[in-house]
Amino acid sequence: MTHPEYILTLSCHDQRGIVHRVSGFLAEHGCNIIDSAQFGDAETQRFFMRVHFAREDAAVSDAVLREDFARVAASMGMEWALHDAHAKPRVLLMVSKIGHCLNDLLFRYKSGLLPVEIPAIVSNHMDFYQLAASYNIPFHHLPLATGAPESAKLAQEARVAELMEMHQVDLVVLARYMQILSPSMCERLKGKAINIHHSFLPSFKGAKPYAQAHMRGVKLIGATAHFVTGDLDEGPIIEQDVERVDHSMGSDALTAIGRDVECVVLARAVKWFVEHRILLNGHRTVIFK
């Protein structure tokens, strides 16, 4: 017999007895812990926990489990969420004219490496509509002209918000979507949108950052996946990685290496999100790998 499985995530002020209360509650409600991880931050005095467990007592319903734990959480001031471990989160992908991250995520999705559903792809350009069609995923072209007024940007973002609501989206991934989101959109997506950018090239903004890096003779290139906030490219960091480069490599080689790193870093971040492994700790993250 297959038992329903859940992932419980929580954070609260660090205090005695948290693990005891959680594990005792699960035992009392006929649940068996499959794996558990916790972390206490001495700086913020916050405690974080992720528990994967099975509900083995058929007499304990899902509703009872949630209702009873809510009382435990309230008594200890917990921020918490209880997820169906086998439910596939719904992810909206956004892209502009550079498609390596989009292509990588779609391959991982199709091959079963990324446990998600992708109900839609949004782009301000038409470049990847055929790629979307090859995966049988609806492609929504929402153009935004260069220098468009703020009203046009807000109207386009309103359409994105409609798609999110229509498809009950759990996560938005900016897979090299080259538009700055409005403050209101960033607030709407707080904790639910991930972006990718070249992390070791902070001085090289604008077009062709890897070509600029080549001209400066950099020795390390890398990528950062982070949550989207109103502070451009400064949201809580989820994952980073780097590759060494040298004088023998031209700008095309740096670009190719950099794009590979971006794909890997973004894929890890998305996978950890959909597996409920990321908890926010102020402007930082706790990642239970």
Side-chain angles (χ1 to χ4, degrees):
M1 179 179 177
T2 301
H3 300 291
E5 293 183 16
Y6 297 84
I7 295 172
L8 169 67
T9 58
L10 63 90
S11 65
C12 62
H13 177 71
D14 204 350
Q15 56 199 289
R16 284 196 216 67
I18 302 172
V19 175
H20 173 74
R21 289 288 299 275
V22 172
S23 59
F25 172 88
L26 294 175
E28 291 165 4
H29 285 72
C31 300
N32 181 45
I33 293 176
I34 298 171
D35 64 71
S36 177
Q38 62 260 355
F39 169 68
D41 188 336
E43 293 182 9
T44 64
Q45 294 296 301
R46 296 287 292 179
F47 180 85
F48 303 85
M49 191 172 188
R50 178 186 185 273
V51 186
H52 179 192
F53 67 91
R55 175 166 56 88
E56 298 181 346
D57 187 347
V60 178
S61 68
D62 179 273
V64 166
L65 191 68
R66 293 175 185 274
E67 182 179 341
D68 288 357
F69 189 78
R71 288 194 286 270
V72 173
S75 71
M76 303 194 80
M78 294 177 179
E79 297 178 12
W80 64 286
L82 186 60
H83 308 275
D84 180 342
H86 295 301
K88 293 183 178 180
R90 299 173 65 78
V91 177
L92 176 72
L93 301 180
M94 299 184 70
V95 65
S96 290
K97 294 176 71 69
I98 301 174
H100 56 284
C101 288
L102 174 67
N103 191 54
D104 181 76
L105 290 173
L106 290 175
F107 172 78
R108 293 172 190 268
Y109 151 73
K110 190 67 173 181
S111 59
L113 298 173
L114 197 58
V116 299
E117 298 292 347
I118 303 177
I121 296 171
V122 169
S123 181
N124 54 327
H125 297 281
M126 284 293 292
D127 297 56
F128 300 111
Y129 78 95
Q130 289 181 319
L131 177 63
S134 72
Y135 284 92
N136 199 29
I137 298 174
F139 181 89
H140 299 271
H141 179 218
L142 304 181
L144 193 61
T146 303
E150 186 69 12
S151 58
K153 174 185 282 289
L154 294 177
Q156 190 238 28
E157 290 182 348
R159 179 59 182 142
V160 174
E162 289 175 6
L163 289 170
M164 290 171 55
E165 185 173 350
M166 178 191 310
H167 294 293
Q168 299 180 307
V169 167
D170 301 296
L171 174 67
V172 173
V173 177
L174 306 186
R176 294 304 301 269
Y177 179 68
M178 308 306 288
Q179 291 289 328
I180 298 174
L181 302 182
S182 69
S184 59
M185 191 63 167
C186 290
E187 184 62 29
R188 175 190 289 271
L189 294 174
K190 186 176 181 180
K192 296 182 179 180
I194 295 175
N195 190 24
I196 184 73
H197 74 95
H198 41 85
S199 64
F200 271 69
L201 313 178
S203 300
F204 311 120
K205 300 180 184 298
K208 300 183 178 179
Y210 292 108
Q212 297 178 54
H214 172 63
M215 293 299 294
R216 290 289 299 275
V218 302
K219 307 305 180 190
L220 281 172
I221 59 174
T224 294
H226 62 90
F227 282 115
V228 172
T229 67
D231 297 319
L232 183 63
D233 290 338
E234 295 185 12
I237 293 171
I238 301 170
E239 174 63 335
Q240 295 177 295
D241 207 346
V242 296
E243 287 285 346
R244 296 203 69 87
V245 295
D246 61 39
H247 64 275
S248 68
M249 300 174 182
S251 60
D252 288 347
L254 263 62
T255 299
I257 294 169
R259 289 181 175 180
D260 284 345
V261 178
E262 290 171 15
C263 288
V264 171
V265 168
L266 183 57
R268 286 179 191 153
V270 173
K271 189 171 191 293
W272 293 341
F273 182 96
V274 301
E275 292 178 349
H276 313 293
R277 297 184 181 277
I278 308 170
L279 282 75
L280 282 170
N281 182 17
H283 198 68
R284 295 178 289 169
T285 58
V286 173
I287 314 288
F288 291 122
K289 299 180 183 178

